[in-house]
Amino acid sequence: MVEYLAIFIYFLIATGLAMILLGVSFIAASRKPDPEKISAYECGFDPFDDARSRFDVQFYLVAILFIIFDLEVTFLFPWALVLNRVGLFGFWSMMAFLLILTIGFVYEWRKGALDWS
Amino acid sequence: MNSFVEITNEFTQSVEQSTELNFQSFLFENDFKAVLPELFLVLASLFLLLYGVVWTTSASTGYPLLLRNVNWLALLTFVLTAIIATNNPIGHGVFFYHTFLLDDVTFFFKMLVVIGALSSLLISMDYLERESINGFEFALLLLLSTSSMLFLISAADFISMYLAIELQSLCFYVLAAFKRDSEFSTEAGLKYFLLGVFSSGLLLFGCSLIYGFTGAIEFSELSKIFASLATSGEVYSDKLDLNPLSVYGQEENISSLLSTSSWRGCELGMIFLIIGFLFKLTAVPFHMWAPDVYEGAPTAVTAFFSITPKPALLVVFVRLLYQSFYDFMIEWQTFIIFCSVASMFLGSFAGLAQHRIKRLLAYSSIGHVGYLLISLCCGTLEGLQGLAIYLVIYIVVTINIFAVIMTPLRRTSHSAQQHQGVERIKYTTDLAMLAKGNPLLAATLTVAVFSLAGIPPLAGFYGKAFLFWAALSSSQYLLALVGILTSAISCFYYIRVVKIMYFEAPQNWLSFSRMSKESSLVLALTTFFIVALMAYPYPLYVASHKVALALSM
């Protein structure tokens, strides 16, 4: 556990440094806001319509797929570390797991979940 | 001399290696034979998934829907699974490091689940086509959830139990929201998801409490731990004597595995576990999701929900209560008696106010869960036997009723005699004058509904009588009394359905269109079962007795 102390200190220093950088520009730079400056930037025009727009389900699909394959990787990590201990049985168990996931992947592929047209 | 030692060392090493290898290669050899039905079901559904998705998205064949095709293949899979399960050479044992067990109980309930899933798919095929619920995934979700229920039935520890319940629930959430263009279905899916996840959380918290206090997750280990505590007498001395010193005095000569505080912790965990299960079984204080989900989900899904999961959940629940937590019986008995009485009351009284037929059936099923819970409170062999008998009869009757409800009907407006398209049955009044239009169907539904109400010559009466008899013989007079009272009350709304069918003139005339061949076959078989069970109840009686014996051991 003790090796995490350095990372924790590193994290603290990084946060502090970021605060300092922000703070310096906050103190040193000149700030004179007016309505034109603080309005939303839309290529020089005024915004045409409501900022709300229909959410594309593709983003959601990608997020879900990421979660699924992320989980797959978390299962692969311990397997990869102890592969010489678990032998052929462990190897084939993971292959079965991967096969099931691959079938799911083929399903997504054919369904067009990965198409961005 | 030195070389001799080396040689012997080498020899022993080689022997060790070979035994290790042998051990490794023979490990799980029989275990995979034991899970053959489940394995087949999972592999077949994976195959069907590939088959379905490849064909439905192929441009060269013109994007076929494959609904009927995949449904029939799924039915074939169910039939083959049942055949494999019956012919499996391994009938008893514990497999996969105590995660999976097989005995007479598992076989009985697995067949019940497979047959229930099969017939619920059979009766809903026509409905799915008519409602244009075109995803071939419907049948696959049915297959996958059935396989998870099979795993649930043979679960032997908390982890396999929880994983099986989760796989099953996950399929169910998707199924409840399967009709995406219907607001009700989406709402039902969301509601079911939230409450299901909540109940799973409770279940998991219960499991982790018990694991934390005992260090065991296997049902058999837990029973040993609790039994050793109960026989050591510590708990009872703690309960009888209010003076804590007397407990401390005894502690020296008691070699118990648990301290009193751990016992309390296990009790708490058990209560959470029971609440989780009662949520899933829609027993009363935890029933609120059931009517909305039953109402909102497509009728085919409602049929599946009300037919299939109950046996799987109940058998694990009974296994837990009667094997692991039998020494806690005094605690859980009162809790389940309360839930049983409340379910029976709510099922009968709330059903009185319902005019939508699926809601009515939801409340009726809540009431029937109450009757099923009676059998858990008895703590006797007859109680468990009553549970098995009642469950079989209830499932058969539910299949029958849903086969009728999924029959399409044509609504004719009163003024202009024109067809207004094919609809489905929503209200109980939609059944009006069914007796004139289709007398055979009306008679069938009457038989089924009377059987639910428990009218004498039908199967439902037999089940209820057996349950009440078991309750009386184990001195649960309150439960028997409430059961009889509420079944008399619920007769009112069951008979109202019959009255609507036979004597009420409808505002808009309806005619039932032709029933599909599969549905009518299922309907005929189930009606025959309901009517004829009284004549030859011995096979069911013997099978359920065997189940009860195996469960109570």
Side-chain angles (χ1 to χ4, degrees), chain B residues 296-309:
Chain B
T299 312
V301 177
T302 314
F304 186 62
F305 281 1
S306 47
I307 292 165
T308 331

Side-chain angles (χ1 to χ4, degrees), chain B residues 218-251:
Chain B
E218 292 154 28
F219 298 162
S220 50
E221 288 292 315
L222 284 173
S223 72
K224 280 176 207 157
I225 290 171
F226 295 142
S228 74
L229 186 66
T231 48
S232 72
E234 188 190 337
V235 181
Y236 297 109
S237 68
D238 174 46
K239 272 186 188 145
L240 296 173
D241 297 343
L242 292 172
N243 183 9
L245 282 177
S246 65
V247 180
Y248 284 113
Q250 282 178 355
E251 211 158 31

Side-chain angles (χ1 to χ4, degrees), chain B residues 460-479:
Chain B
F461 166 75
Y462 185 69
K464 267 185 188 166
F466 205 92
L467 267 188
F468 296 148
W469 180 64
L472 284 177
S473 65
S474 62
S475 310
Q476 299 287 353
Y477 301 115
L478 172 78
L479 282 175

Side-chain angles (χ1 to χ4, degrees), chain A residues 85-89 99-100 102-104 106-108 110-112, chain B residues 24 27-28 32 42 46 49-50 53-54 56-59 136-137:
Chain A
R85 297 271 186 83
V86 293
L88 272 179
F89 186 76
L99 177 78
I100 292 171
T102 311
I103 288 171
V106 169
Y107 176 77
E108 287 149 18
R110 291 296 302 216
K111 274 276 167 179
Chain B
Q24 236 184 15
L27 182 71
F28 294 147
F32 283 107
V42 170
L46 287 178
L49 183 73
L50 273 182
V53 80
V54 168
T56 47
T57 55
S58 85
F136 70 90
E137 291 91 346

Side-chain angles (χ1 to χ4, degrees), chain A residues 16-62:
Chain A
L17 191 62
M19 293 305 238
I20 289 167
L21 290 177
L22 272 176
V24 166
S25 70
F26 194 73
I27 295 160
S30 63
R31 281 183 301 145
K32 285 178 196 145
D34 60 66
E36 289 304 315
K37 265 189 192 169
I38 59 169
S39 65
Y41 176 69
E42 194 124 334
C43 298
F45 299 103
D46 284 337
F48 288 120
D49 49 14
D50 197 24
R52 309 249 172 257
S53 63
R54 211 170 251 266
F55 187 73
D56 196 347
V57 78
Q58 287 285 354
F59 294 105
Y60 183 74
L61 276 178
V62 167

